[in-house]
Amino acid sequence: DTAVSQTPKYLVTQMGNDKSIKCEQNLGHDTMYWYKQDSKKFLKIMFSYNNKELIINETVPNRFSPKSPDKAHLNLHINSLELGDSAVYFCASSQGPLGRVRETQYFGPGTRLLVL
Amino acid sequence: DAKTTQPNSMESNEEEPVHLPCNHSTISGTDYIHWYRQLPSQGPEYVIHGLTSNVNNRMASLAIAEDRKSSTLILHRATLRDAAVYYCILRAQGAQKLVFGQGTRLTINP
């Protein structure tokens, strides 16, 4: 039973296309996140949702739009894909908001996006 | 977020202890020290965290200097499966996010 799962695992697409990545957690957590890991392996937070409410929105292009239909799901939709969007995208979850210092995050396996 | 400094890479042998250092000279009194690791082609996973006292769990030990300006993650008996990038992260109380640095790439030799 995978705690945090993402689909698809790999995504290869053309510039200009619109694509979505799905994330589901079965841990009963209230908070979910999206991270981007670029080619230099730096891992940066993009968004965070707590109980379906957006609480973190880093400096991310408007082409990226997260959607949380319920607490267990946080999807990432990307419009007009660009070459620079190629990266590994990780979904994560935590019991509560990370403001509680004892909170730890559980990460998914990642979605490897390649834009051609 | 306070900055951490880690060596880019370290190498050790299987079944030997590994000490991964982290410097955080600008740490504030309420910052917790968290360690995560990222195995090849996987997402990061939590390892351990602490505030002032040394901490032990089934994965590792965390030794925190008395002045809290540095800490060391200790893997008591490294296995090949411990080869990963290890991230030392400071989390301020109330901070809503983790800020990952470049981490230390640990190689384990058989």
Side-chain angles (χ1 to χ4, degrees), chain A residues 73-94:
Chain A
H73 296 84
L74 180 61
N75 303 323
L76 184 65
H77 188 76
I78 315 171
N79 289 326
S80 303
L81 278 156
E82 299 177 358
L83 295 177
D85 297 333
S86 296
V88 183
Y89 293 84
F90 289 100
C91 178
S93 73
S94 62

Side-chain angles (χ1 to χ4, degrees), chain A residues 47-59:
Chain A
F47 302 103
S48 171
Y49 271 73
N50 178 248
N51 281 321
K52 302 196 296 174
E53 179 184 347
L54 181 66
I55 56 174
I56 292 178
N57 185 350
E58 293 292 293
T59 308

Side-chain angles (χ1 to χ4, degrees), chain B residues 20-33:
Chain B
L20 295 159
C22 181
N23 287 324
H24 29 79
S25 58
T26 59
I27 191 171
S28 72
T30 56
D31 287 343
Y32 277 72
I33 303 159

Side-chain angles (χ1 to χ4, degrees), chain B residues 13-25:
Chain B
N13 298 319
E14 201 176 6
E15 298 187 3
E16 290 185 357
V18 180
H19 291 233
L20 295 159
C22 181
N23 287 324
H24 29 79
S25 58

